[in-house]
Amino acid sequence: MEITAAFAVPICHDTLAACDRLNRELAQLFLARETPEYRNPTPSHNPQAEMFESRFDLFTWPEPCIQELRKFMLESVFRVAMAASETAREEFARLSLNNHTWFHITRHSGYFVAHNHALASWSAVYCVKDGVDPAGAPSGGLLRLFDTRVGADAFLDPAIQRLRPPFVVGDLELLLRPGQLVVFPSYLFHEVTPYYGPDTRITVASNCWFTAESGAR
Amino acid sequence: MTALAGQSGTVPLFATPFTAVNTGADSLFNARLASLCESQRSATGVDFLDSADAIAVELKRLILGQAATVVAGLSSIGAAEFARLHIQARGWCSIVQRNGHVPAQHFPGASWLAVYCVQAGESDAGFKSAGVVRLYERRLGSIYRDASTWELKSPYCYGNHTWSPLPGWMALFPAHLPHEVSVVRSATALILVFAMIRFMDADAKDSRKG
């Protein structure tokens, strides 16, 4: 007998080592540019005063800290996408990786509603600052990735109430720490739960798509 | 089901029923209900609809009566047979203060979820979609869109569905649907009563056959 995990969703966790200096520089830059000039002019969801969303051209900024983060995030996305694909490595390596990338600054009770990202294949979220309470009080601000199997647990009997990973049905809640990166398929619905910490929560998000020839979509 | 066999036309396939109905409950009723909810703030594991309090008994009658009417209208079994079904329900109230919310939830073991609004305040200026019941879009096909599908009209459009609770109104939808109550931005607490509902065969007490 063999049990396999069919219909699996690839999710990659990575961490940028020795990220304190980079995160300090990023936080300083983002807070300085939390202005109308840099705000996303066409938000897809109702904007809130408690969450600032930048334009989607973050990785075109020339600042060294941005380019350092760009290298880490996009290389991770590339590696994840290649690892999850049956396409030969040399063929995959010829693909061009395109991205929309932005930053979020979240203050008390800010959140981001459940959504996914059309016309992208891989999404990534990097944590610059978690904003958690040093005393350890729950601060919210979780990245919640929703299980794709909606309704699969509508009927539960004693045999399936406690399925073990990877078969358990349920959402994945991540409290990202500074330097942590998560990469997941863009079709996956996700949200950021309300942040109740005492400071600010700062993240960088990227939507990526590959093309067979160079040039952005 | 074969839709529109032999006919021309467009129909919403795989549709999800969502109902919002004005129960007709008045402000006095809701004020008494709000007091009862406040009094049960520290109660845990209590079935709100099982309370002997007269106002809870009346609310149960109201919710189950509305739910039965709506669901009977959605079912293809006859009215007489539907009337013989036995309704089971379990309820609880949520009091959501300013900046509070009810996180994503859904409920196994029930077919319907009723959400009755006891109290709701006006959101502060500048806040949109505050204190709403938001049902999550989960159709993964939304990942591809072109110029023709980006802004499909209802009921074909992609996106979450929101319902703004008003006192005396009730929403009803399938219990398995993930939903939340978004962050409340009002000085007045949002008070909702949730009820998980299922209909059982009157004889077998279980809708499963075979």
Side-chain angles (χ1 to χ4, degrees):
Chain A
M1 186 181 78
E2 181 188 16
I3 300 178
T4 60
F7 316 119
V9 178
I11 294 175
C12 170
H13 301 269
D14 202 352
T15 302
L16 181 61
C19 59
D20 291 354
R21 178 211 33 94
L22 176 65
N23 286 341
R24 264 197 315 276
E25 292 176 12
L26 290 170
Q28 192 174 14
L29 182 63
F30 295 156
L31 288 168
R33 294 188 177 178
E34 191 184 11
T35 64
E37 181 187 356
Y38 291 96
R39 184 187 295 277
N40 177 7
T42 55
S44 58
H45 300 88
N46 288 332
Q48 310 163 54
E50 296 77 11
M51 175 178 274
F52 180 90
E53 180 174 88
S54 76
R55 292 173 181 268
F56 288 176
D57 61 354
L58 182 65
F59 280 170
T60 66
W61 294 10
E63 285 78 2
C65 61
I66 297 295
Q67 291 309 307
E68 188 177 342
L69 179 66
R70 178 183 185 278
K71 183 173 187 300
F72 171 65
M73 285 184 69
L74 296 190
E75 282 185 358
S76 294
V77 170
F78 207 104
R79 286 202 312 271
V80 175
M82 188 155 59
S85 172
E86 286 190 326
T87 302
R89 291 177 68 90
E90 53 277 14
E91 187 181 343
F92 202 101
R94 287 196 293 271
L95 299 178
S96 293
L97 174 54
N98 311 279
N99 73 90
H100 283 158
T101 303
W102 63 96
F103 68 84
H104 276 162
I105 299 175
T106 310
R107 291 188 165 76
H108 188 272
S109 75
Y111 65 97
F112 205 96
V113 68
H115 63 286
N116 66 359
H117 296 286
L119 303 182
S121 57
W122 293 92
S123 295
V125 180
Y126 174 82
C127 180
V128 176
K129 185 177 179 186
D130 57 16
V132 299
D133 187 341
S139 299
L142 304 173
L143 174 62
R144 178 181 284 134
L145 305 176
F146 288 102
D147 196 319
T148 57
R149 298 163 293 178
V150 177
D153 59 352
F155 174 72
L156 294 177
D157 70 5
I160 59 169
Q161 274 177 1
R162 297 181 61 201
L163 288 174
R164 59 184 168 83
F167 310 111
V168 62
V169 175
D171 305 327
L172 183 62
E173 295 180 349
L174 302 173
L175 176 59
L176 300 182
R177 310 312 298 252
Q180 189 175 346
L181 174 76
V182 59
V183 183
F184 54 91
S186 300
Y187 64 74
L188 206 58
F189 284 96
H190 56 285
E191 69 176 358
V192 178
T193 68
Y195 166 68
Y196 295 116
D199 195 352
T200 53
R201 176 184 183 273
I202 302 177
T203 54
V204 172
S206 187
N207 287 337
C208 300
W209 65 98
F210 291 79
T211 47
E213 68 291 330
S214 60
R217 181 172 46 174
Chain B
M1 183 182 85
T2 304
L4 293 171
Q7 303 173 51
S8 297
T10 304
V11 294
L13 291 177
F14 315 122
T16 300
F18 176 87
T19 300
V21 59
N22 185 350
T23 66
D26 61 21
S27 56
L28 181 62
F29 176 84
N30 285 324
R32 292 171 58 201
L33 198 49
S35 296
L36 180 62
C37 292
E38 292 284 356
S39 73
Q40 297 205 352
R41 193 179 271 274
S42 57
T44 55
V46 175
D47 182 352
F48 191 83
L49 298 182
D50 208 25
S51 167
D53 189 292
I55 200 73
V57 171
E58 176 59 14
L59 178 69
K60 182 175 183 178
R61 188 194 65 77
L62 203 62
I63 289 177
L64 298 189
Q66 293 285 355
T69 300
V70 170
V71 177
L74 298 171
S75 172
S76 59
I77 68 173
E81 188 179 348
F82 196 93
R84 285 197 295 272
L85 299 181
H86 175 70
I87 307 180
Q88 293 182 336
R90 200 168 74 211
W92 65 97
C93 64
S94 290
I95 303 174
V96 192
Q97 308 284 359
R98 181 196 290 279
N99 292 335
H101 75 294
V102 176
Q105 59 182 10
H106 65 282
F107 299 98
S111 51
W112 302 95
L113 186 74
V115 185
Y116 177 85
C117 178
V118 181
Q119 175 180 292
E122 197 69 28
S123 288
D124 299 342
F127 287 104
K128 292 180 179 174
S129 300
V132 299
V133 177
R134 177 178 287 120
L135 291 89
Y136 293 140
E137 168 68 80
R138 281 293 176 271
R139 291 170 296 176
L140 298 176
S142 60
I143 198 69
Y144 181 76
R145 310 219 204 157
D146 67 6
S148 72
T149 59
W150 206 269
E151 294 196 18
L152 287 171
K153 60 187 176 183
S154 178
Y156 307 106
C157 55
Y158 291 114
N160 300 323
H161 178 81
T162 59
W163 176 65
S164 299
L166 290 172
W169 282 69
M170 184 186 107
L172 186 76
F173 52 88
H176 74 268
L177 281 184
H179 61 279
E180 66 172 355
V181 177
S182 66
V183 174
V184 169
R185 309 289 191 180
S186 171
T188 303
L190 175 65
I191 304 180
L192 302 172
V193 174
F194 293 86
M196 292 166 58
I197 299 170
R198 61 186 177 190
F199 294 79
M200 312 296 273
D201 183 278
D203 300 321
K205 299 282 188 270
D206 187 339
S207 60
R208 187 174 51 189
K209 300 288 199 300

